[in-house]
Amino acid sequence: QVQLVESGGGLVQAGGSLRLACTSSGNTYSTSAMGWFRQAPGKEREFVAAINWSGHATYYADAVKGRFTCSRDNAENTVYLTMNTLKAEDTAVYYCAASRSGGSFTDIVQAPPSTLAWGRGTQVTVSS
């Protein structure tokens, strides 16, 4: 059974950094685009970042551009989200997602959520 498992969340002060990891097991997504989404309390899930299958192309939401970096290590079946200069408004549950249909980051950004594979999420709390 394919699983995506996120880790690395926690409590951090504003201005601090965290690195999230998403590891796939039961299957590998080395040829698939991967991405990160987040959902804050009372809000809808929103896109954060996406990366193509090779790791050479990335795409970010405006709210995190310049602060967050998405990377991947296909040998380790792991995708990372490095978050710097964190703000209180970054507080959310962060979810990893994998495309089942392609290797371009557009296969994350433009895909209906129901077509993606999802992890269970990891909580990030930024205190101001």
Side-chain angles (χ1 to χ4, degrees), residues 17-38:
S17 299
L18 280 175
R19 188 177 78 158
L20 307 183
C22 170
T23 301
S24 63
S25 62
N27 192 9
T28 62
Y29 288 102
S30 60
T31 60
S32 299
M34 304 285 291
W36 291 92
F37 292 74
R38 68 186 181 187

Side-chain angles (χ1 to χ4, degrees), residues 52-111:
N52 78 329
W53 71 273
S54 68
H56 293 156
T58 53
Y59 184 79
Y60 299 94
D62 287 343
V64 307
K65 201 173 296 183
R67 299 188 298 123
F68 290 11
T69 301
C70 188
S71 60
R72 66 191 297 165
D73 184 341
N74 286 340
E76 297 294 329
N77 297 322
T78 301
V79 176
Y80 301 97
L81 185 68
T82 303
M83 306 183 294
N84 296 319
T85 319
L86 282 161
K87 306 175 182 179
E89 51 264 43
D90 294 318
T91 295
V93 177
Y94 283 70
Y95 297 90
C96 173
S99 172
R100 294 190 175 106
S101 61
S104 169
F105 61 71
T106 58
D107 293 310
I108 292 289
V109 177
Q110 298 176 1

